[in-house]
Amino acid sequence: MQPNIAQVALPVPLDKCFDYLIPNYLFPVIGGRVSVPFGRQTLIGIVVDIVDHSDFPVEQLKPIKACLDAKPVWPKPLYQLLHWCSQFYQYPLGDTLAMALPSLLKKGKAADFTSLKEWHITEAGKNQLAAGFGRAHLQAKVVRMLDHGPLPHQAMIDEDISSATLKTLQNKGWIEAKHTQPTQPEWPAQLENEQHKPHLNEEQAIAVASINNHPGFGCFLIDGVTGSGKTEVYLNIIKPVLEQGKQALVLVPEIGLTPQTINRFKRRFNVPVEVMHSGLNDTERLNAWLSARDKQAGIIIGTRSALFTPFANLGVIIVDEEHDASYKQQDTLRYHARDVAVMRGHKENFPVVLGSATPALETLHNAKTGKYHYLSLSKRAGNAQPAKHHVLDIKGLYLEGGLSAPLIAQMRRHLNSGNQVMLFLNRRGFSPALMCHECGWLAECKRCDAYYTFHQGSQEVRCHHCGSQRPVIQQCQGCGSTQLVSVGVGTEQLEKQLELLFPEFKTIRIDRDSTRRKGSLESALESIRRGEYQILIGTQMLAKGHHFPDVTLVGLLDVDGSLYSSDFRASERLAQLFIQVAGRSGRASKPGEVLLQTHHPEHALLQSLLHKDYQHFAQTALEERKMAQLPPYSFLTLFRAEGNNNDEVEAFLRQVRHTIEANPLYDEQCMVLGPMPAPLAKRAGKYRWQLMLQVTTRSQMQRLIGSSKPAIQLLPLAKKVRWNMDIEPQDLS
Ligand code: ADP
Ligand code: ZN
Ligand code: ZN
């Protein structure tokens, strides 16, 4: 029998593919898109196999409606990597493949440059514009828009201008369509711009040579303090890659993608550099994607999801700030871009380079055990001095808006000598909670197991977990008193306090509330660099990838929360924050200083950070992890479940536990913890529970999870509660 049945992966949350008949006039390819009927809808899916039999009666199968691709969408190794991701992270194949497609391709656009139609105004159109359009307002609008310059077809559709309107105007000769075929020339003979290229120091030269002389796959950790010239090493690794006609992919954390970063790559190389991040519109994203696949682009710089870009001939992946939490996707396909990058390098046989001043403990462990090659850059380029650090014991001290008197005095000293000061506080809002001074009652969100945060600016209380908000509460609901006071300090209150303490200096706050608008973070960073502000207040997001040479004092206001957190990674994150801010402040002529406020100055973690270095901290932390059998000495899977009925949610996870324990692969190398209530036990009216599975080896974890999943999916409660599996979770909330 002729193979005339296509197995299609569809973007539906079901762990299976669907069979369709192939009409004799259609020629689908494996890895290409097809449109198919699905219930009453038409969906676009990917053909994963073409076979000659179906488990369903053939007369019940429906035919494919159309084939959208004559060749596979992805090169084969990348296509295989996506299958691997679906398996490894236990996420449906159809959804995984759909996630890796630019959204225009998901909607059925052609996967080549001809789809990028652009509209231009004609001479006749210009004349008509001068003469006027009478009452044809819509037509006038379109022609006027194009009078400012050509626009992509998709941009017009996004403006609610129909294809029919455009067609009419085209027929009248007022506008014309042009296809933006790639006009970029072949790469020039002179690939590199050698101006301002520094002479590598010895450690840099060793790192570059080790990587460039390594044939095929290898994973390299560049453990280099901030300013030690890691980026310079990256540039020197990319050069021979381009010379061999291959391309480079550079991954950066979400917030690290600034014009400065991009410009360093653009200035050095004469090949097209494309950027991929969440701010691109659909057309720009498809453009960058095609440019990599069809080898226009030499270098792609992007955030997490750029990892799934197809390349004509990829030669290296560089993961900068590899410890950064933004590399782990927190929903849908919960992949870790660093780990998948290593797998991609392995499958496609090229080197993968991980760089950081504060490598993740997992990565350091891989380097120590010889899985990764270890390269160290220990000196700051340009003779910059390392920052000095001190602990401020604030036990019993009066705090003004979270600031102790010694810290205020230090701030004054630095500000008066014309420098900038940066303060870290990982808490948005005015203060975390509103409390009754008479009876201690706390204003609590009705839908969550959490307190409201008081926002003075808007005179509201807001729940940071479900987003609900209401006007500020005036009266205690416990005793009726109107004596409500705010407890704890948030960034907003700190800002108010600083205005009182330092009226002569300007303060800027950088957190998720203040940088919600697109581009606002970028302009804030610019004005800090220009010195328009002297005091910077930030949450963790300020610590990533930015140099602040005029900041000479950094204060970490509240580190105790991280010392005693239920999340075993909290101390690692604090250490990374501490080292990163210390490394990014000051410059050669003006060394930085870091002050930590704590009630626990004797804490072993603080001591090792202060008196030793990150290496030493990491060593101690790894020993602790080993004793507790925590990653990297074991592998975790976190089951999260939530629902309206508390008992059902808990019961479901208890059944999951029994299912796993009954699996023949479950042995003394495995452990299940829970079910336990999630750290936030109730959110937006839903009860939340967790179950943790811990297994000594990754392969056993994979086999155990893979073989338990079908039985878990068959549990009756699996359809009644919302649940997911997070393989190798980073965030335990
Ligand atoms: P990192 O990425 O590790 O933070 P960079 O590559 O940005 O470090 O280097 C920090 C600064 O030192 C940059 O201004 C860079 O141009 C400069 N630099 C790097 N390597 C050298 C070198 N070998 N000689 C002189 N300057 C260098
Ligand atoms: Zn809430
Ligand atoms: Zn009260």
Side-chain angles (χ1 to χ4, degrees):
M1 193 177 160
Q2 277 291 95
N4 67 338
I5 291 164
Q7 296 182 335
V8 181
L10 292 171
V12 292
L14 290 170
D15 256 339
K16 59 172 185 174
C17 292
F18 298 84
D19 291 352
Y20 287 91
L21 292 175
I22 304 172
N24 57 13
Y25 52 89
L26 288 181
F27 302 95
V29 290
I30 293 176
R33 292 168 301 158
V34 288
S35 71
V36 295
F38 188 79
R40 273 186 232 147
Q41 304 164 275
T42 298
L43 293 182
I44 291 178
I46 304 286
V47 177
V48 296
D49 209 355
I50 295 173
V51 294
D52 58 10
H53 71 280
S54 172
D55 294 340
F56 292 91
V58 171
E59 53 291 359
Q60 283 180 21
L61 297 183
K62 293 188 182 138
I64 290 174
K65 282 189 167 174
C67 292
L68 306 182
D69 298 301
K71 56 179 194 201
V73 180
W74 298 278
K76 195 159 184 193
L78 178 55
Y79 178 65
Q80 288 168 342
L81 182 78
L82 290 165
H83 279 252
W84 178 87
C85 281
S86 159
Q87 279 247 316
F88 187 89
Y89 292 105
Q90 299 292 338
Y91 195 63
L93 180 62
D95 275 336
T96 303
L97 294 173
M99 183 222 58
L101 281 178
S103 58
L104 288 181
L105 296 188
K106 250 181 288 196
K107 291 178 193 155
K109 286 268 168 212
D112 56 52
F113 278 105
T114 54
S115 67
L116 303 175
K117 190 157 70 175
E118 218 175 50
W119 291 97
H120 293 245
I121 189 168
T122 60
E123 274 312 305
K126 286 192 176 152
N127 294 338
Q128 194 64 37
L129 197 59
F133 284 84
R135 274 189 287 168
H137 296 300
L138 185 61
Q139 298 188 3
K141 177 183 161 190
V142 175
V143 177
R144 217 173 289 127
M145 277 166 71
L146 295 179
D147 194 34
H148 297 294
L151 286 171
H153 181 72
Q154 189 59 39
M156 309 293 274
I157 301 293
D158 291 346
E159 286 284 316
D160 278 335
I161 295 158
S162 70
S163 296
T165 305
L166 293 165
K167 192 91 198 150
T168 309
L169 287 165
Q170 188 180 27
N171 290 342
K172 289 187 173 170
W174 295 339
I175 66 173
E176 60 187 347
K178 289 185 186 166
H179 293 290
T180 52
Q181 277 289 359
T183 49
Q184 284 149 345
E186 290 279 283
W187 294 355
Q190 175 77 23
L191 288 170
E192 193 186 31
N193 241 322
E194 298 200 359
Q195 263 174 320
H196 313 301
K197 191 179 157 181
H199 190 74
L200 298 181
N201 67 33
E202 194 182 332
E203 288 180 323
Q204 285 174 315
I206 290 173
V208 169
S210 314
I211 298 167
N212 288 352
N213 296 333
H214 192 278
F217 170 70
C219 186
F220 298 84
L221 167 61
I222 303 182
D223 182 354
V225 297
T226 307
S228 60
K230 289 186 294 296
T231 311
E232 193 53 46
V233 171
Y234 304 157
L235 294 166
N236 281 276
I237 294 165
I238 292 175
K239 181 185 171 199
V241 170
L242 295 174
E243 282 168 351
Q244 294 161 39
K246 295 182 181 172
Q247 300 158 289
L249 171 61
V250 182
L251 296 181
V252 294
E254 262 157 24
I255 192 183
L257 196 56
T258 61
Q260 282 96 323
T261 314
I262 300 157
N263 282 335
R264 270 183 89 174
F265 290 86
K266 285 191 171 166
R267 268 202 312 268
R268 180 66 66 87
F269 297 111
N270 301 318
V271 298
V273 176
E274 291 279 352
V275 178
M276 278 199 181
H277 56 85
S278 55
L280 297 185
N281 70 32
D282 290 352
T283 313
E284 290 167 332
R285 177 167 288 270
L286 179 57
N287 236 325
W289 192 90
L290 291 171
S291 169
R293 192 195 66 177
D294 298 348
K295 207 189 157 198
Q296 318 290 325
I299 303 171
I300 296 267
I301 308 177
T303 49
R304 182 178 65 226
S305 65
L307 175 64
F308 296 119
T309 309
F311 283 82
N313 194 0
L314 188 55
V316 68
I317 301 181
I318 292 162
V319 185
D320 191 27
E321 308 287 355
E322 64 83 34
H323 65 280
D324 195 273
S326 74
Y327 285 124
K328 170 84 174 172
Q329 176 140 311
Q330 302 288 6
D331 55 11
T332 64
L333 177 74
R334 292 175 167 77
Y335 68 101
H336 200 302
R338 174 196 62 216
D339 298 348
V340 182
V342 174
M343 185 44 89
R344 184 166 182 180
H346 177 68
K347 283 191 183 298
E348 300 187 31
N349 199 33
F350 53 68
V352 177
V353 178
L354 314 177
S356 176
T358 52
L361 294 182
E362 278 90 346
T363 306
L364 275 177
H365 178 69
N366 281 329
K368 286 211 165 82
T369 54
K371 216 173 140 195
Y372 297 175
H373 305 265
Y374 182 80
L375 300 163
S376 152
L377 304 182
S378 57
K379 296 175 201 61
R380 276 187 165 196
N383 303 323
Q385 298 289 315
K388 290 198 220 79
H389 28 251
H390 311 279
V391 168
L392 282 179
D393 184 356
I394 55 171
K395 263 198 303 292
L397 288 190
Y398 176 70
L399 300 179
E400 285 182 83
L403 303 167
S404 63
L407 177 57
I408 294 171
Q410 286 295 333
M411 288 177 68
R412 206 173 290 286
R413 194 168 63 79
H414 283 262
L415 290 168
N416 286 340
S417 27
N419 298 318
Q420 290 174 323
V421 170
M422 181 152 71
L423 300 175
F424 276 92
L425 188 59
N426 253 343
R427 232 186 260 142
R428 291 178 293 139
F430 188 77
S431 68
L434 202 57
M435 184 173 72
C436 172
H437 194 52
E438 312 269 337
C439 76
W441 171 86
L442 286 154
E444 202 173 353
C445 174
K446 293 206 166 44
R447 310 172 66 213
C448 305
D449 188 16
Y451 299 116
Y452 276 128
T453 300
F454 175 41
H455 287 252
Q456 195 187 46
S458 52
Q459 279 294 308
E460 283 170 339
V461 290
R462 259 186 246 162
C463 172
H464 283 191
H465 301 286
C466 71
S468 71
Q469 56 196 67
R470 47 179 290 189
V472 64
I473 298 159
Q474 304 290 358
Q475 207 174 12
C476 170
Q477 287 170 18
C479 73
S481 158
T482 52
Q483 291 270 327
L484 296 185
V485 293
S486 52
V487 288
V489 182
T491 47
E492 203 184 315
Q493 185 183 0
L494 177 61
E495 192 178 17
K496 279 264 154 12
Q497 189 65 36
L498 289 166
E499 279 164 20
L500 294 176
L501 284 168
F502 301 102
E504 65 278 36
F505 298 110
K506 277 184 77 185
T507 300
I508 184 168
R509 175 162 58 94
I510 301 219
D511 59 23
R512 243 186 303 157
D513 290 334
S514 71
T515 55
R516 222 172 276 275
R517 266 180 311 109
K518 204 173 155 182
S520 56
L521 173 67
E522 196 40 55
S523 68
L525 293 175
E526 236 349 277
S527 47
I528 292 171
R529 257 178 232 113
R530 281 198 304 269
E532 278 168 36
Y533 298 92
Q534 291 80 43
I535 306 177
L536 332 175
I537 307 178
T539 50
Q540 196 111 12
M541 74 188 275
L542 246 190
K544 297 180 190 173
H546 305 287
H547 284 270
F548 299 102
D550 289 318
V551 169
T552 53
L553 176 66
V554 180
L556 295 144
L557 299 196
D558 180 17
V559 302
D560 294 345
S562 306
L563 296 178
Y564 297 99
S565 167
S566 60
D567 186 335
F568 70 89
R569 282 199 180 82
S571 57
E572 178 184 351
R573 300 241 165 79
L574 172 64
Q576 289 164 341
L577 171 71
F578 175 77
I579 301 288
Q580 294 280 343
V581 297
R584 291 179 194 291
S585 56
R587 59 169 79 171
S589 55
K590 291 197 246 179
E593 214 172 312
V594 182
L595 288 181
L596 288 116
Q597 291 193 149
T598 177
H599 293 87
H600 304 276
E602 72 297 336
H603 194 283
L605 160 66
L606 292 183
Q607 287 303 320
S608 83
L609 274 179
L610 288 171
H611 300 297
K612 310 276 173 32
D613 53 10
Y614 185 77
Q615 284 297 333
H616 186 271
F617 155 78
Q619 184 62 42
T620 319
L622 276 170
E623 279 158 20
E624 280 174 22
R625 296 267 184 101
K626 188 169 189 177
M627 299 240 285
Q629 276 296 296
L630 284 166
Y633 301 96
S634 70
F635 295 84
L636 303 179
T637 291
L638 182 65
F639 289 82
R640 296 189 184 88
E642 63 172 44
N644 294 323
N645 182 325
N646 192 41
D647 295 341
E648 273 181 8
V649 181
E650 188 194 355
F652 168 67
L653 287 183
R654 214 174 319 111
Q655 290 165 12
V656 171
R657 180 180 177 136
H658 293 151
T659 310
I660 292 172
E661 284 172 340
N663 191 312
L665 291 171
Y666 188 90
D667 59 20
E668 63 283 2
Q669 303 300 314
C670 313
M671 189 164 75
V672 204
L673 296 159
M676 57 220 158
L680 186 65
K682 188 178 162 203
R683 185 171 70 189
K686 305 251 191 266
Y687 296 91
R688 310 166 78 233
W689 288 78
Q690 298 183 341
L691 184 77
M692 182 77 90
L693 173 63
Q694 192 173 328
V695 181
T696 316
T697 67
R698 192 177 243 162
S699 58
Q700 188 176 2
M701 169 66 89
Q702 282 290 319
R703 278 181 285 126
L704 180 59
I705 286 287
S707 59
S708 302
K709 192 176 171 192
I712 294 172
Q713 285 171 324
L714 286 176
L715 293 171
L717 282 174
K719 300 212 165 40
K720 296 183 79 178
V721 305
R722 273 178 63 110
W723 61 281
N724 64 63
M725 271 185 235
D726 193 345
I727 311 291
E728 302 185 7
Q730 283 289 315
D731 181 359
L732 303 186
S733 63

